[in-house]
Amino acid sequence: MKLTKHAHACVTIEKGGTRLVIDPGTFTPDAAEAVARAHAVLITHEHFDHFDEQLVAAALEARPGLLVYGTAAVAAALGSHDGRVQAVTAGDAFTVGSVTVSVHGHRHALIHPDIPCPDNVGYLLDDGAVHHPGDAYCVPDAPVRTLLLPTSGPWTKLGEAADYVRAVKPERVIEIHELMLSDLGRQSTARLLGEEGLTGVPVERLGPGASVQL
């Protein structure tokens, strides 16, 4: 399985000729290009930095074979498109080509009591090969080999992020959701959360377009 990191929360997963894109949002400059090559798009929640509604809607119109999975709010925003848009919740599982997906988590992490928390789901791919949690510290009830760890945003907290990694116990951690940090902030966060910091697991920092094998 190959993972390609795009800016912020977006990644592409490729395996056996199947290509999935997770969370192509408005903070990701090459989101349209990524979606244009995908067999399916997975959306964790409706916030604009994870879900570029116009982009995904246009892709559904242009490509009759494209599939989209997301929360009920995402599905309602896009419409059914003859069943190609599917609402998913925790406990669901589905397969796209050669990739299996299970759905975990219910709610976006709290920003402030005055700000509503939308539904948020995480996607665990290929029996734990990689987990994208969206904007939440949800611990899947299954082993995770590679955890995509959000490191910036109004809801993130370094202490909670450390506890999250400790609870998930992944073999590998890759940084996502990083755009609200300066380069110095990213270095400091990776050091605090990483191998010699609170978790004992290195935090890998990939630039946009960089790929790794999982």
Side-chain angles (χ1 to χ4, degrees):
M1 179 176 283
K2 177 182 175 182
L3 179 146
T4 299
K5 174 77 171 67
H6 305 280
H8 204 53
C10 184
V11 298
T12 294
I13 301 291
E14 299 173 68
K15 179 195 171 190
T18 299
R19 182 179 285 110
L20 308 182
V21 172
I22 306 177
D23 280 3
T26 59
F27 287 180
T28 303
D30 63 342
E33 179 183 349
V35 169
R37 302 174 62 202
H39 297 94
V41 175
L42 282 53
I43 308 293
T44 62
H45 64 289
E46 71 262 32
H47 284 165
F48 63 89
D49 57 327
H50 295 254
F51 173 41
D52 186 331
E53 180 181 339
Q54 291 186 340
L55 185 158
V56 178
L60 283 164
E61 292 291 342
R63 300 180 52 216
L66 181 65
L67 303 173
V68 177
Y69 299 86
T71 61
V74 169
L78 294 172
S80 172
H81 288 269
D82 298 320
R84 291 188 291 126
V85 177
Q86 294 289 324
V88 294
T89 60
D92 289 344
F94 55 93
T95 300
V96 181
S98 58
V99 182
T100 61
V101 183
S102 59
V103 184
H104 301 263
H106 300 276
R107 192 70 66 184
H108 191 288
L110 180 68
I111 299 173
H112 187 275
D114 290 349
I115 299 176
C117 285
D119 290 340
N120 178 101
V121 295
Y123 296 104
L124 185 64
L125 278 55
D126 253 23
D127 298 320
V130 61
H131 178 60
H132 192 309
D135 279 4
Y137 295 129
C138 171
V139 179
D141 54 355
V144 175
R145 293 192 292 282
T146 298
L147 175 65
L148 305 183
L149 179 65
T151 58
S152 77
W155 61 275
T156 58
K157 297 179 181 178
L158 289 180
E160 292 182 2
D163 288 341
Y164 179 49
V165 175
R166 289 177 176 181
V168 175
K169 298 181 177 66
E171 299 172 9
R172 187 174 190 178
V173 172
I174 296 175
E175 173 196 53
I176 61 169
H177 213 275
E178 76 287 346
L179 281 186
M180 293 185 183
L181 291 177
S182 66
D183 186 61
L184 177 61
R186 291 181 65 190
Q187 292 180 43
S188 175
T189 296
R191 185 163 52 250
L192 181 64
L193 296 178
E195 187 172 20
E196 297 180 0
L198 293 170
T199 71
V201 183
V203 176
E204 299 179 45
R205 298 171 53 209
L206 303 178
S211 297
V212 292
Q213 294 294 324
L214 303 179

